[in-house]
Amino acid sequence: MLLSYEGAGHGVYNASPCTRDTIDRYLTSLVVPARGASCPAVEPSPASTAE
């Protein structure tokens, strides 16, 4: 199964509530996302972009 994240980056577990909830649902209940599932891009928070 594939869950597409419409934003930039790798390792998108914490990219948005959509990605986190979908991954958690699979890991805890083995519920796979629907075919063609995707999560919209979310602007990164200032804390995650600070150097």
Side-chain angles (χ1 to χ4, degrees):
M1 289 294 141
L2 174 68
L3 173 66
S4 295
Y5 175 64
E6 303 301 328
H10 299 283
V12 298
Y13 177 78
N14 284 321
S16 74
C18 175
T19 57
R20 188 175 46 251
D21 293 347
T22 303
I23 294 166
D24 285 348
R25 190 169 26 260
Y26 174 73
L27 293 175
T28 60
S29 303
L30 298 180
V31 175
V32 297
R35 185 176 301 273
S38 67
C39 290
V42 175
E43 290 295 320
S45 66
S48 67
T49 59
E51 292 182 24

XYZ file of all heavy atoms in Angstrom:
368
model
N 0.838 -1.179 0.000
C 0.000 0.000 0.000
C 0.881 1.241 0.000
O 1.990 1.217 0.495
C -0.881 0.038 1.254
C -1.974 -0.988 1.265
S -3.130 -0.628 -0.034
C -3.469 -2.255 -0.583
N 0.325 2.288 -0.533
C 1.067 3.540 -0.632
C 0.181 4.679 -0.150
O -0.977 4.791 -0.543
C 1.476 3.792 -2.085
C 2.137 5.131 -2.374
C 3.515 5.187 -1.710
C 2.265 5.334 -3.864
N 0.737 5.490 0.725
C 0.078 6.723 1.149
C 0.940 7.856 0.623
O 2.098 7.999 1.027
C -0.024 6.807 2.671
C -0.541 8.131 3.217
C -1.999 8.348 2.823
C -0.377 8.194 4.724
N 0.416 8.638 -0.285
C 1.173 9.744 -0.860
C 0.995 10.994 -0.011
O -0.105 11.299 0.435
C 0.691 10.038 -2.285
O 0.957 8.953 -3.119
N 2.101 11.697 0.198
C 2.070 12.994 0.859
C 2.345 14.030 -0.216
O 3.358 13.945 -0.912
C 3.111 13.075 1.978
C 3.195 14.438 2.609
C 2.110 14.967 3.290
C 4.342 15.214 2.503
C 2.171 16.231 3.852
C 4.409 16.475 3.069
C 3.319 16.980 3.738
O 3.377 18.228 4.291
N 1.468 14.991 -0.377
C 1.549 15.954 -1.474
C 2.548 17.077 -1.228
O 2.643 18.004 -2.009
C 0.161 16.540 -1.755
C -0.902 15.498 -2.079
C -0.581 14.641 -3.293
O 0.065 15.125 -4.242
O -0.966 13.459 -3.283
N 3.316 17.003 -0.148
C 4.306 18.026 0.160
C 5.714 17.526 -0.103
O 5.924 16.440 -0.631
N 6.679 18.322 0.283
C 8.089 18.002 0.074
C 8.647 17.235 1.263
O 8.116 17.295 2.364
C 8.879 19.295 -0.118
N 9.735 16.530 1.021
C 10.466 15.892 2.099
C 10.356 14.385 2.116
O 9.591 13.782 1.364
N 11.143 13.787 2.977
C 11.170 12.347 3.183
C 10.801 12.087 4.637
O 10.913 12.955 5.478
C 12.565 11.785 2.904
C 13.014 12.004 1.506
N 12.560 11.240 0.464
C 13.861 12.909 0.973
C 13.121 11.652 -0.658
N 13.918 12.679 -0.370
N 10.409 10.871 4.939
C 10.071 10.546 6.323
C 8.944 11.422 6.828
O 9.152 12.271 7.684
N 7.763 11.257 6.291
C 6.669 12.196 6.530
C 5.769 11.837 7.713
O 4.680 12.383 7.829
C 5.801 12.370 5.266
C 6.617 12.951 4.143
C 5.174 11.060 4.849
N 6.211 10.963 8.596
C 5.355 10.575 9.719
C 4.794 11.804 10.444
O 3.599 11.893 10.696
C 6.110 9.678 10.700
C 5.276 9.311 11.903
C 4.301 8.324 11.815
C 5.455 9.949 13.123
C 3.513 7.994 12.902
C 4.682 9.619 14.222
C 3.715 8.641 14.110
O 2.945 8.327 15.186
N 5.621 12.756 10.777
C 5.176 13.950 11.505
C 4.863 15.136 10.597
O 4.753 16.259 11.071
C 6.223 14.367 12.532
C 6.195 13.477 13.747
O 5.122 13.085 14.207
N 7.357 13.123 14.252
N 4.721 14.904 9.305
C 4.472 16.000 8.372
C 3.098 16.628 8.576
O 2.926 17.826 8.369
C 4.617 15.532 6.933
N 2.118 15.813 8.967
C 0.766 16.339 9.156
C -0.051 15.365 9.999
O 0.314 14.193 10.123
C 0.076 16.522 7.803
O -0.302 15.272 7.251
N -1.146 15.843 10.555
C -2.030 14.927 11.284
C -2.553 13.804 10.374
O -2.719 12.674 10.825
C -3.170 15.822 11.759
C -2.572 17.186 11.842
C -1.583 17.239 10.708
N -2.765 14.098 9.111
C -3.257 13.085 8.168
C -2.260 11.933 8.051
O -2.644 10.762 8.150
C -3.513 13.721 6.808
S -3.993 12.553 5.518
N -0.991 12.238 7.823
C 0.002 11.169 7.667
C 0.175 10.412 8.977
O 0.182 9.187 8.989
C 1.359 11.721 7.197
O 1.835 12.710 8.107
C 1.278 12.300 5.802
N 0.284 11.129 10.072
C 0.495 10.498 11.377
C -0.673 9.584 11.743
O -0.481 8.435 12.144
C 0.729 11.569 12.441
C 1.150 11.030 13.778
C 1.478 12.133 14.777
N 0.483 13.190 14.796
C 0.674 14.423 14.318
N 1.818 14.768 13.783
N -0.287 15.313 14.374
N -1.906 10.068 11.565
C -3.081 9.269 11.920
C -3.215 8.032 11.042
O -3.563 6.951 11.525
C -4.356 10.107 11.834
C -4.419 11.203 12.888
O -3.609 11.173 13.843
O -5.268 12.099 12.733
N -2.937 8.186 9.753
C -3.040 7.048 8.838
C -2.003 5.987 9.173
O -2.309 4.785 9.209
C -2.884 7.512 7.379
O -3.870 8.511 7.102
C -3.040 6.356 6.409
N -0.779 6.403 9.441
C 0.285 5.462 9.795
C -0.008 4.808 11.139
O 0.128 3.582 11.284
C 1.655 6.167 9.791
C 2.001 6.596 8.365
C 2.742 5.263 10.377
C 3.149 7.575 8.267
N -0.428 5.580 12.117
C -0.773 5.011 13.427
C -1.906 3.996 13.321
O -1.867 2.935 13.948
C -1.172 6.108 14.417
C 0.012 6.900 14.929
O 1.173 6.489 14.707
O -0.230 7.956 15.557
N -2.909 4.297 12.510
C -4.045 3.390 12.333
C -3.566 2.054 11.761
O -3.995 0.984 12.179
C -5.102 4.031 11.433
C -6.401 3.298 11.384
C -7.542 4.058 10.693
N -7.184 5.051 9.699
C -7.130 6.376 9.902
N -7.441 6.891 11.091
N -6.803 7.190 8.935
N -2.630 2.106 10.831
C -2.088 0.872 10.275
C -1.269 0.111 11.328
O -1.427 -1.094 11.501
C -1.220 1.134 9.041
C -0.561 -0.136 8.578
C -1.307 -1.123 7.945
C 0.775 -0.376 8.823
C -0.725 -2.321 7.567
C 1.372 -1.562 8.443
C 0.615 -2.533 7.819
O 1.203 -3.716 7.463
N -0.399 0.818 12.033
C 0.479 0.157 12.997
C -0.266 -0.426 14.196
O 0.152 -1.440 14.750
C 1.553 1.138 13.482
C 2.567 1.568 12.427
C 3.494 2.637 12.995
C 3.359 0.383 11.906
N -1.361 0.193 14.588
C -2.086 -0.291 15.765
C -3.235 -1.238 15.434
O -3.576 -2.093 16.238
C -2.644 0.880 16.597
O -3.532 1.645 15.788
C -1.510 1.752 17.123
N -3.825 -1.080 14.239
C -5.016 -1.875 13.906
C -4.917 -2.602 12.563
O -5.871 -3.273 12.168
C -6.242 -0.960 13.866
O -6.398 -0.294 15.090
N -3.809 -2.452 11.869
C -3.601 -3.059 10.551
C -4.655 -2.638 9.531
O -4.981 -3.377 8.612
C -3.525 -4.580 10.653
C -2.377 -5.119 11.496
C -2.419 -6.642 11.526
C -1.034 -4.631 10.974
N -5.175 -1.414 9.681
C -6.117 -0.853 8.710
C -5.296 -0.157 7.634
O -4.599 0.820 7.920
C -7.093 0.141 9.381
C -7.973 0.813 8.344
C -7.924 -0.557 10.440
N -5.358 -0.675 6.408
C -4.574 -0.088 5.316
C -5.324 1.101 4.716
O -6.558 1.114 4.706
C -4.251 -1.122 4.221
C -3.386 -2.234 4.773
C -5.511 -1.684 3.609
N -4.589 2.092 4.219
C -5.255 3.227 3.575
C -5.927 2.771 2.284
O -5.519 1.782 1.661
C -4.116 4.199 3.286
C -2.863 3.428 3.408
C -3.141 2.234 4.252
N -6.948 3.477 1.873
C -7.661 3.165 0.639
C -6.732 3.326 -0.556
O -5.783 4.116 -0.519
C -8.861 4.097 0.481
N -6.993 2.596 -1.604
C -6.207 2.716 -2.842
C -6.243 4.175 -3.300
O -7.293 4.801 -3.344
C -6.783 1.820 -3.903
C -5.960 1.797 -5.188
C -6.510 0.830 -6.198
N -6.562 -0.537 -5.725
C -5.551 -1.410 -5.813
N -4.415 -1.033 -6.355
N -5.683 -2.636 -5.367
N -5.087 4.723 -3.609
C -4.996 6.105 -4.073
C -5.022 7.140 -2.961
O -5.113 8.333 -3.234
N -4.925 6.702 -1.705
C -4.977 7.636 -0.573
C -3.817 8.618 -0.623
O -2.704 8.273 -1.012
C -4.943 6.870 0.743
N -4.097 9.852 -0.236
C -3.046 10.862 -0.157
C -3.387 11.858 0.932
O -4.537 11.976 1.344
C -2.871 11.582 -1.490
O -4.005 12.346 -1.791
N -2.370 12.541 1.397
C -2.532 13.583 2.406
C -2.050 14.898 1.802
O -0.992 14.934 1.161
C -1.714 13.262 3.647
S -2.340 11.857 4.596
N -2.807 15.985 2.008
C -2.388 17.276 1.448
C -1.137 17.814 2.134
O -0.844 17.477 3.279
C -3.593 18.181 1.715
C -4.285 17.563 2.878
C -4.045 16.084 2.766
N -0.416 18.652 1.430
C 0.780 19.286 1.985
C 0.399 20.227 3.119
O -0.679 20.816 3.119
C 1.505 20.067 0.902
N 1.288 20.337 4.079
C 1.117 21.242 5.216
C 2.377 22.087 5.313
O 3.490 21.562 5.208
C 0.905 20.439 6.524
C 0.854 21.346 7.725
C -0.351 19.597 6.435
N 2.208 23.386 5.494
C 3.371 24.262 5.657
C 4.134 23.855 6.917
O 3.518 23.621 7.962
C 2.926 25.720 5.800
C 2.370 26.308 4.520
C 3.407 26.396 3.423
O 4.569 26.748 3.700
O 3.043 26.105 2.266
N 5.472 23.749 6.831
C 6.251 23.392 8.022
C 6.160 24.484 9.075
O 6.024 25.670 8.746
C 7.674 23.251 7.502
C 7.690 23.881 6.169
C 6.286 23.954 5.661
N 6.219 24.076 10.325
C 6.192 25.055 11.414
C 7.544 25.755 11.474
O 8.562 25.204 11.072
C 5.888 24.371 12.734
O 6.962 23.514 13.082
N 7.584 26.983 12.018
C 8.860 27.718 12.118
C 9.921 26.945 12.898
O 11.083 27.004 12.559
C 8.474 29.007 12.836
C 7.020 29.181 12.537
C 6.454 27.793 12.449
N 9.526 26.181 13.898
C 10.491 25.429 14.691
C 11.184 24.361 13.862
O 12.363 24.076 14.060
C 9.807 24.789 15.884
N 10.486 23.760 12.895
C 11.094 22.699 12.092
C 11.973 23.243 10.973
O 12.737 22.513 10.376
C 10.012 21.786 11.511
O 9.230 22.483 10.580
N 11.881 24.541 10.681
C 12.700 25.123 9.622
C 13.857 25.956 10.173
O 14.686 26.426 9.414
C 11.846 26.010 8.694
O 11.239 27.058 9.460
C 10.786 25.194 7.986
N 13.924 26.151 11.492
C 14.993 26.940 12.100
C 16.323 26.204 11.990
O 16.388 24.989 12.080
C 14.673 27.214 13.560
N 17.403 26.970 11.793
C 18.725 26.353 11.703
C 19.418 26.395 13.016
O 19.329 27.173 13.839
C 19.550 27.051 10.639
C 18.983 26.791 9.272
C 19.844 27.441 8.189
O 21.031 27.682 8.427
O 19.312 27.688 7.121
